[in-house]
Amino acid sequence: MKRIFKLTLMSVLAVFLLAACGGKAEKTSGSSKDGGDVLAQIKKRDKIVFGVKNDTRLFGLKNPNTGKVEGFDIDIAKQLAKQILGDENKVEFKEVTSKTRIPMLNNGDVDAVVATMTISEERKKEVDFTDVYFKAGQSLLVKKGSKIKGIEDLKKGTKVLTAKGSTSAINIRKKAPETQVLEFENYAEAFTALKAGKGDALTTDDAILYGMADEDPNYHLVGGTFTEEPYGIAVKKGNQDFVKKLNEALKAVKDSGKYDEIKNKWIKQQ
Ligand code: GLU
C-alpha cells in the first residue's frame, strides 16, 4: 500500500515537472513575451515584428486589394530590417492604434513601434525612443467653408474629434479648454464621425490630416500647427542595445539618400 502511494506521488511530481518545463520552453520560443533581450530574440527568429498603423493614409494604411500595409512608416520599418537583418522582407507588421501601441510593446506583442508616435516626456516613463525620424505638428481639419479658421475659434459649444491615447487629445484640452473633445478608437473612426457631422473639427498631426484631405477634398487644414510632434520609434524599456542598433540603422538610411526618397514618395506638403 505504502509503495503504491509512493509511486503515485512520484508520478504526480513527474507530471508537474514536465508541465513546468514545457511551459517555459513555449514561453521562450521566439517572442519577446518574457521581457528578455529583444535584439537577441530578433536575431534568433531572424525577423522584426513592427507595430504600425493600419488606418492612417500616408503613414500606415492597409490596402484592401493586396491586404498589405503601405506608407511612410512601413517603408522606414522595412529599411530598418534591411540594415539590421540584411533583408527588408524580414519583417512582420501588426496593427497598433494610438491607444494600444504602448501596451502591445510592453506585452511583447511587437518589438518596436513605428506608428506616428510623438516622443514625449510622459511616454519616456513607459518606453524608450530612438532619435527623431520625422517632424510633425498638431493642426485642425474642417469641412471647406467652416467658420473655424484656427484654434482660436474652438470656443464653448464646438466639438473637436480625435483618437484615444494620442498627444492630440491631451494637447487640445490644454490649448482650447472650452471646446468639447470626443475621442475615438482610431483616426478612421474620427474622420467618419466628422463626415457624419458629429463634430466641427478633427485634430491631430498635420501629416495625418493631409492624408485625410487627400482622401476627401471637401476637407482641408486650417490655422497652421500649434504643437511640435517629433516622431520616434518606441522600444520596450531596458533594450538600449536595440535602440542603438535602430539609431545606427536610421542614420544609414538617411545617409544613403533612401530616407529622402521615401519621404518624397509619401509626404508632398513639407
Ligand atoms: N503623434 C501624435 C501621437 O503620438 C498623434 C498621432 C497619433 O495618435 O498617432 O499621439
Side-chain angles (χ1 to χ4, degrees), residues 53 56 97-99 101 115-119 123 136 138 162-169 171 187 203-205 208 229-231:
K53 294 279 182 81
T56 305
T97 65
S98 305
K99 190 178 89 174
R101 59 195 162 191
T116 67
M117 189 168 183
T118 298
I119 302 170
R123 288 174 178 163
Q138 190 168 341
T162 191
K164 289 179 186 168
S166 63
T167 52
S168 323
N171 296 335
Y187 291 108
T203 190
T204 187
D205 300 339
I208 298 175
E229 307 292 328
Y231 292 179

Side-chain angles (χ1 to χ4, degrees), residues 106-172:
N106 286 336
N107 276 341
D109 293 323
V110 294
D111 298 319
V113 164
V114 193
T116 67
M117 189 168 183
T118 298
I119 302 170
S120 75
E121 290 309 313
E122 260 329 281
R123 288 174 178 163
K124 275 194 207 162
K125 290 178 195 157
E126 295 183 89
V127 292
D128 287 333
F129 285 100
T130 60
D131 298 335
V132 176
Y133 73 95
F134 185 80
K135 286 182 184 158
Q138 190 168 341
S139 189
L140 298 173
L141 184 82
V142 296
K143 194 164 186 172
K144 284 182 180 164
S146 163
K147 285 196 185 108
I148 294 169
K149 305 277 180 240
I151 192 150
E152 61 286 351
D153 297 322
L154 296 179
K155 302 259 163 58
K156 217 180 164 90
T158 56
K159 276 187 197 152
V160 183
L161 318 176
T162 191
K164 289 179 186 168
S166 63
T167 52
S168 323
I170 298 169
N171 296 335
I172 198 67

Side-chain angles (χ1 to χ4, degrees), residues 160-165 182-187 189-190 193 198:
V160 183
L161 318 176
T162 191
K164 289 179 186 168
L182 302 180
E183 295 181 33
F184 293 80
E185 291 305 313
N186 56 49
Y187 291 108
E189 283 185 24
K198 291 185 183 152

